[in-house]
């Protein structure tokens, strides 16, 4: 254990207002701390710069999954286990359940939160591709009030986000799919469980009259942050399921990725395998 | 008793959480040690600087200049310093330079980064090729840590006349043992009346190795050094030689501070600094006649030994002795070299050189079969060793050996023929999933190589306790393999007592004799045999001295022992290794009986490859082995299953990625060992063929299962995907994709 | 920098109260302050599962939990599985089936398996593999662990 404990401090506000107050009074000083499954790893390795933490875990305002007619709203403290156990999520957002199920293993799923996964902003994170594929919106809260941003505009670059120092992610809102829809999620990890993604792809489509009326594709591990595959989407939208331009879509996908070599996989592997996974998804879709 | 699946002796303590591992030992007043390391691959140490802002006066600081005895880790070759001194050469990135200790472990950790080393860097050698090419001379005159030649007949006379000559080159990567418990030591040094007494408790496989190292480090006689093996959270060879280093470090800090010291590595440090399996490169040249009979083998086997010799000479030897595999061949030449590089020294890991050379041979046999137009089964069957054949060293096979039968059993178990036929059809279909089956046939020499056992002359004993029970005295350690249980079964059997009446004594060099290191699959067969003798001697002396009458019951035995202990104070009987008369070995020529006997096996694997993502799934894995009499089937099965899991990991996922010779994926998240979701059930079949050398006819099993999985898996991959250049492990998805592209791009 | 806090929690059924740094890892508090050394550190990065404990009935990696978050909580460690001298059926099954070799993964594995059987009393091989995937074992290849869990499940079912 290499973190230097004596330097550390953690505050436990008991209301959202108190938490926001502390954040606003000393901007950039207090690091939000949810399940700690990202922060503690870096701390234990002695590589965490932050030493002052703001424990969010007692903030009931950030908990729970609320359903209304058109959407599901996830408190940012929603854990993977809560996602796995929620019927409405299974019903409307099966990709998100799959993402949750392949995140780490059970002990991580019990502690890790959706908000933490988003703000940790790892390009390899597992829920962001699904959130992108479902057109998620984030509700951010600060002493200045609430604001909403579309999740596909939230990540600005490697670990850079549209999130001010005094803001917290409050809720993640997913509009319920309508009509006939198709869902696909695949993670290619370093092993079958307790694995970091080398490639991941989530897709959600609306099918009308045998055609692809709408399509959202989210990619992980192939860019500095989770990204939408807008080029591939454009190549496919409006096309009949019976004659999907698979080769053209694969080609277009290259324009959506900027993978790098790292310890887990080469850039070449990432780009070829993402194309193959897209191909796999489209074969599934054609059969849908 | 022998042949029963008795419960593990220490099982209850392990499931209750009371088993005491090194870091669990409560040591009041202990201070915490850390190690400052070089962080350059090669250079001359010019100075050590301590940054301001740290309360250095509160720290215990040890440098090379403090060392009371020899600054040199006792090993096969005495070349590695405990700490590099000023003006001396740094030879790898993780070389220990300064030791620090402080009562606050957080501060000790922080202080590690406040020591700066001034180093004049020198160009480094980082791999086998650069070392052989003598780009820099970093060790001796030629960068060779050890060179071995084995010669039988003369392959040079064969190449021109043979119908087929087939060559190949194979590589294997480093592998991390990844025992779940990292290296850990506790040390206490007492100094009274000008007498120094050093005690070390640790996670270590070989107490007497550490004992010898500490004696040399402090210049102390035998009786002033004590080493105690704590419960050990796995080792697999990784705690064979390294504990001499960190045991020495902990003791130095305890000696200098006068306080107890805990030195526990975290995972990152353990991965970066401690030993790994040696990377290897093997070139094979084989000649066959028109029918596929093997005529000649020439093997050029090279391993990367890192910066110091450590175990490399012995690892090289075992690799060389297994390199020609299980085949009869009139002309064999093995040229084996361990080369120096500026990397942290690799060391022992289950298999000890054999998995490397056997991988090459067993992959090569499949390559040859394809080139000869034979199937892998037929080619092997034609060439298997049998009773009466001679191996490369001239060792004659004296036991009944039916490798064909062993192979057939494994192939039947996995359904080889049916599956191959079925997969040949389904693999023609469009989908991304391709399936294949493959296998390997191999052996593992039991016990120490060559004259090792004679040189060790191991001693082990049996002692009667005051309560009438029997205690086993041996320095062999329990690392999970089941030594406590198996030894107890062997002694209980020899004494015809219930298993519960026998247990092992704590492994403490003050108490137990040197039964040799706990390595080389030797404990059951070698030490077990000595214990059998000691137990018989123990009983006879009780009878002779009138404490016991035969026949006896458990109760009368207990009463006899009680009475003997009450009368004599203590009753013990020791046994010692005796070289069997029919075994001969010459170290100078590498001729003779390399091992007293071998365990034999055929492993078969079924794989499914997903060509969309190049992921390999092991669908089924069958192991059939002949390991002599199996003392405890359940524990033995566990050894095989665990070894196979490590073998599968080495074959498919486990890669040590380095930069400047230093491991950079030194976290568990980035060094990929299998989880429960990654492995199939492993089928274990034992064919028993009792061997006279071991107790009740037992041979060794600990290392065998490491040898077979990697070649079996790669052979299965070729079966699934066609003739790719699968000449290297681990065959990671990235690498497999590259090899597939070689074919599709021509 | 932070003041120590008074931490009250229930460990293995016993109320405990102690003064600790709020950001100290639960793992260290269990091992060092409470001398419950059954819980092990194998990695300190959430990967190996050797430090697994039950926190309010859920498995967590105690190396990733700052103690301030367990204020008032209930923690169960391997030491809390047996009833006095009587091993739990899972513990007993680990002994008879050789589910523990070196034993270092065992405390975490037992906690994870206990949790699994609570949620899923009759698991398939696949469910066991999934439930224990966060607990790495380097010794067994997992087969004997699967055997032990199945046998404990059968015992429970009967
Ligand atoms: C062994 C292991 C395996 C893992 N496997 C996976 C995996 O397979 N896939 C995957 O995607 N991830 C994985 N992770 C990473 C991690 O578990 C997830 O990213 C998790 O969702 C993080 O949530 P948390 O609550 O624990 O985050 P924390 O560590 O508490 O916080 C993470 C970051 O988010 C910030 N933050 C948290 N909540 C908020 C908020 N409401 N508003 C603003 N900022 C906030 C924090 O300041 C911090 O920067 C793994 C981690 C471990 C240790
Ligand atoms: S020590 Fe906590 S998961 Fe490994
Ligand atoms: S028994 Fe050793 S790690 Fe599992």
């Amino acid at each position: 254990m290499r973190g230097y404990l004596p330097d550390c401090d953690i505050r436990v506000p008991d209301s959202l207002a108190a938490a926001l107050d502390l954040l606003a009074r000393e901007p950039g000083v207090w690091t939000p701390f949810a399940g700690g499954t990202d922060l503690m790893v870096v701390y234990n390795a002695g590589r965490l710069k932050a030493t002052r933490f703001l424990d969010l875990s007692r903030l009931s305002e950030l908990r729970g999954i609320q359903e209304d007619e058109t959407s599901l709203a996830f408190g940012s403290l929603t854990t993977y286990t809560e996602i796995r156990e929620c019927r409405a999520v299974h019903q409307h957002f099966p990709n998100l359940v799959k993402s949750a199920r392949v995140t780490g293993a059970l002990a991580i799923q019990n502690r890790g939160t959706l908000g933490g996964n988003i703000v940790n902003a790892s390009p390899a994170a597992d829920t962001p591709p699904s959130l992108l594929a479902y057109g998620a919106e984030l509700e951010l809260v600060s002493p200045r009030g609430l604001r909403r941003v579309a999740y596909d505009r939230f990540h600005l670059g490697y670990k850079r986000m549209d999130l001010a120092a005094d803001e917290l992610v409050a809720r993640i809102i997913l509009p319920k799919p309508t009509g006939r829809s198709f869902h696909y999620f695949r993670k290619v990890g370093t092993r079958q469980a307790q694995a970091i993604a080398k490639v991941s792809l989530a897709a959600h489509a609306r099918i009308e009259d045998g055609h692809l009326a709408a399509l959202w594709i989210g990619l992980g591990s192939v860019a500095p942050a989770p990204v939408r595959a807008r080029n591939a989407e454009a190549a496919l939208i409006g096309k009949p399921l019976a004659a999907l331009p698979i080769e053209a879509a694969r080609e277009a996908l290259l324009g959506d990725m900027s993978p790098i070599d790292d310890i887990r996989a080469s850039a070449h592997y990432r780009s070829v395998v993402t194309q193959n996974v897209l191909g796999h998804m489209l074969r599934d879709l054609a059969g849908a | 008793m022998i042949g029963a699946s008795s419960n593990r002796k220490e099982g209850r303590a392990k499931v209750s959480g009371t088993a005491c591992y090194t870091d669990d030992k409560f040591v009041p007043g202990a201070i915490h040690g850390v190690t400052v390391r070089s962080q350059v691959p090669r250079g001359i140490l010019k100075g050590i600087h301590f940054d301001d802002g740290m309360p250095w006066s509160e720290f215990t600081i040890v440098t090379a200049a403090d060392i009371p005895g020899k600054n040199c880790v006792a090993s096969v070759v005495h070349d590695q310093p405990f700490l590099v001194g000023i003006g001396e050469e740094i030879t790898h990135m993780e070389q220990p330079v300064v030791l620090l200790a402080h009562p606050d472990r957080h501060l000790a950790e922080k202080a590690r980064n406040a020591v700066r080393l001034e180093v004049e860097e020198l160009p480094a050698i980082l791999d086998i090729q650069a070392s052989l090419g003598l780009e820099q001379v970093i060790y001796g005159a030629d960068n060779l840590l050890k060179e071995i030649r084995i010669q039988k007949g003369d392959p040079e006379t064969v190449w021109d006349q043979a119908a087929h000559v087939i060559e190949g080159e194979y590589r294997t990567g480093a592998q991390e043992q990844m025992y779940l418990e990292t290296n850990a030591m506790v040390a206490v040094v007492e100094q009274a009346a000008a007498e120094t007494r050093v005690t070390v408790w640790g996670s270590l496989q070989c107490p007497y190795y550490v004992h010898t190292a500490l004696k040399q480090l402090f210049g102390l006689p035998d009786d002033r050094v004590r080493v105690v093996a704590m419960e050990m959270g796995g080792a697999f060879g990784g705690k064979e030689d390294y504990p001499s280093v960190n045991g020495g470090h902990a003791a130095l800090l305890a000696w200098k501070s006068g306080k107890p010291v805990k030195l526990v590595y975290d995972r990152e440090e353990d991965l970066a600094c401690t030993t790994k399996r040696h990377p290897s490169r093997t070139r094979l040249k084989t000649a066959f006649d028109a029918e596929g009979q093997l005529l000649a083998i020439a093997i050029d086997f090279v391993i990367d030994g890192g910066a110091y010799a450590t175990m490399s000479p012995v690892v090289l030897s075992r690799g060389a002795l297994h390199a020609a595999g299980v085949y009869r061949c009139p002309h064999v030449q093995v040229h084996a070299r361990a080369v120096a590089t500026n990397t942290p020294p690799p060391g022992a890991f289950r298999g000890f050189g054999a998995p490397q050379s056997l991988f090459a041979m067993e992959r090569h046999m499949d390559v040859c079969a394809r080139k000869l137009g034979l199937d892998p089964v037929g080619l092997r069957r034609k060439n298997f060793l049998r009773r009466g054949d001679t191996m490369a060293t001239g060792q004659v096979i004296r036991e009944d050996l039916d490798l064909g039968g062993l192979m057939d059993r494994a192939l039947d178990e996995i359904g080889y023929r049916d599956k191959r036929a079925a997969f040949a059809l389904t693999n023609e279909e469009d989908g991304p999933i391709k399936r294949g089956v493959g296998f390997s046939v191999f052996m593992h020499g039991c016990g120490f190589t060559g004259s090792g056992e004679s040189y060790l002359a191991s001693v082990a004993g049996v002692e009667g306790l005051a309560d009438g029970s029997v205690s086993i005295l041996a320095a062999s350690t329990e690392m999970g393999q089941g030594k406590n249980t198996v030894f107890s079964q062997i002694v209980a059997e020899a004494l015809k007592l219930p298993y519960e009446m026998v247990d092992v004594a704590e492994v403490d060099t003050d108490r137990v004799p040197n039964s040799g290191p706990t390595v080389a699959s030797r404990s059951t067969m070698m030490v077990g045999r000595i214990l059998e003798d000691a137990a018989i001697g123990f009983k006879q002396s009780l009878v002779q001295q009138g404490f016991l009458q035969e026949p006896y019951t458990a109760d009368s035995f207990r009463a006899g022992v009680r009475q003997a202990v009450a009368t004599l104070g203590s009753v013990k009987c020791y046994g010692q290794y005796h070289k069997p008369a029919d075994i001969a070995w010459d170290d100078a020529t590498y001729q003779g009986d390399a091992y007293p006997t071998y365990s034999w096996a055929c492993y078969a694997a079924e794989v499914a490859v997903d060509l969309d993502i190049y992921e390999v799934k092991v669908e089924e894995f069958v192991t059939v082995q002949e390991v002599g009499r199996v003392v405890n089937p359940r524990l033995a099965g566990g050894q095989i299953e665990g070894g196979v899991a490590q073998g599968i990991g080495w074959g498919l996922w486990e890669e040590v990625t380095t930069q400047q010779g230093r491991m950079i994926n030194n976290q568990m998240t980035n060094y990929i060992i299998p989880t429960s979701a990654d492995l199939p059930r492993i089928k274990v079949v034992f064919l028993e063929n009792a061997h006279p050398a071991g107790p009740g006819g037992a041979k060794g099993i600990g290392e065998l299962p490491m040898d077979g999985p990697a070649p079996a898996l790669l052979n299965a991959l070729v079966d699934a995907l066609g003739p790719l250049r699968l000449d290297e492990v681990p065959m990671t998805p990235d690498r497999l994709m590259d090899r597939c592209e070689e074919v599709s791009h021509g | 920098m932070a003041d120590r806090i008074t931490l009250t929690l229930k460990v293995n059924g016993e109320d405990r109260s102690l003064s600790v740094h709020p950001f100290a890892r639960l793992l260290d508090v269990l091992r060092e302050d409470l001398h419950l050394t059954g819980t092990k550190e194998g990695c300190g990065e959430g990967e190996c599962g050797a430090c697994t404990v039950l926190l309010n009935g859920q498995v967590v990696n105690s190396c990733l939990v700052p103690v301030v978050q367990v204020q008032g909580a209930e923690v169960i460690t391997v030491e809390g599985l047996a009833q006095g001298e009587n091993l739990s059926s899972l513990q007993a099954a680990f002994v008879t089936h050789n589910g523990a070799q070196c034993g270092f993964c065992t405390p975490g594995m037992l906690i994870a398996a206990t949790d699994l059987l609570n949620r899923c009393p009759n698991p398939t091989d696949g469910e066991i593999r999934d439930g224990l995937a966060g607990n790495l074992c380097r010794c067994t290849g997992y087969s004997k662990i699967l055997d032990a869990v199945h046998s404990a499940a059968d015992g429970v079912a009967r």
Side-chain angles (χ1 to χ4, degrees), chain A residues 44 194, chain B residues 180 668, chain C residues 25 27 40-52 60-64 134:
Chain A
N44 284 343
Q194 198 77 305
Chain B
L180 262 263
M668 272 198 167
Chain C
R25 304 184 300 175
L27 171 64
K40 307 297 181 203
E41 174 161 2
C43 68
E45 45 170 310
E47 199 74 16
C48 75
C51 67
T52 308
V60 303
N61 302 115
S62 62
C63 70
L64 301 183

Side-chain angles (χ1 to χ4, degrees), chain A residues 17-35:
Chain A
L20 293 174
D21 185 52
L22 186 61
L23 280 181
R25 257 189 294 134
E26 299 178 83
V29 168
W30 297 94
T31 300
F33 191 108

Side-chain angles (χ1 to χ4, degrees), chain A residues 5-285:
Chain A
L5 181 63
D7 277 354
C8 294
D9 195 359
I10 184 162
R11 296 288 164 81
V12 190
D14 49 15
S15 72
L16 181 57
L20 293 174
D21 185 52
L22 186 61
L23 280 181
R25 257 189 294 134
E26 299 178 83
V29 168
W30 297 94
T31 300
F33 191 108
T37 57
D38 277 312
L39 287 170
M40 288 301 283
V41 174
V42 191
Y43 165 72
N44 284 343
R47 285 189 280 270
L48 188 62
K49 294 215 179 64
T51 54
R52 300 189 192 190
F53 306 98
L54 179 67
D55 181 17
L56 307 181
S57 66
R58 314 244 156 187
L59 306 182
S60 53
E61 297 93 329
L62 305 183
R63 288 209 176 274
I65 304 173
Q66 287 150 11
E67 183 174 9
D68 66 19
E69 279 291 288
T70 57
S71 68
L72 240 56
F74 299 79
S76 64
L77 291 177
T78 304
T79 63
Y80 299 97
T81 300
E82 286 161 359
I83 291 173
R84 284 183 69 164
E85 287 172 354
C86 177
R87 286 215 15 227
V89 187
H90 280 261
Q91 190 186 342
H92 300 289
F93 305 105
N95 290 347
L96 193 59
V97 177
K98 287 185 186 164
S99 295
R101 192 176 283 147
V102 296
T103 296
L106 220 59
I108 296 297
Q109 293 168 15
N110 285 338
R111 295 269 304 164
T113 66
L114 201 50
N117 203 218
I118 291 169
V119 180
N120 185 56
S122 160
D126 284 315
T127 61
S130 290
L131 298 177
L132 289 169
Y134 288 130
E137 275 195 322
L138 304 185
E139 188 180 272
L140 309 179
V141 62
S142 72
R144 287 164 283 126
L146 291 174
R147 75 178 170 110
R148 281 200 180 192
V149 292
Y151 183 52
D152 64 4
R153 286 202 289 274
F154 180 71
H155 294 287
L156 306 175
Y158 181 68
K159 302 244 174 191
R160 287 194 305 114
M161 284 154 275
D162 180 4
L163 182 73
D166 63 353
E167 274 180 321
L168 291 174
V169 174
R171 299 196 304 162
I172 298 96
I173 296 143
L174 302 189
K176 287 182 186 169
T178 52
R180 193 174 149 219
S181 53
F182 166 85
H183 308 259
Y184 179 95
F185 174 82
R186 187 157 187 198
K187 167 180 181 173
V188 181
T190 47
R191 61 186 159 202
Q192 296 306 316
Q194 198 77 305
I196 299 181
K198 297 184 290 185
V199 156
S200 61
L201 183 150
H204 162 223
R206 193 167 68 243
I207 300 164
E208 283 170 14
D209 303 331
H211 284 66
L212 263 184
L215 175 66
W216 298 260
I217 300 173
L219 303 176
S221 296
V222 291
V227 286
R228 281 270 300 270
R230 292 180 195 278
N231 291 299
E233 290 170 8
L236 290 159
I237 289 172
K239 299 293 188 298
L241 295 193
L244 290 172
I246 295 186
E247 271 317 306
R250 289 177 60 117
E251 198 57 36
L253 188 68
L254 291 174
D256 295 315
M257 303 188 281
S258 48
I260 56 163
D261 291 333
D262 72 7
I263 290 173
R264 292 176 207 113
S266 66
H268 180 58
Y269 177 89
R270 291 176 200 278
S271 85
V272 171
V273 169
T274 309
Q275 286 183 302
N276 290 347
V277 171
L278 178 73
H280 184 255
M281 184 273 274
L282 293 174
R283 289 196 299 273
D284 264 18
L285 179 57

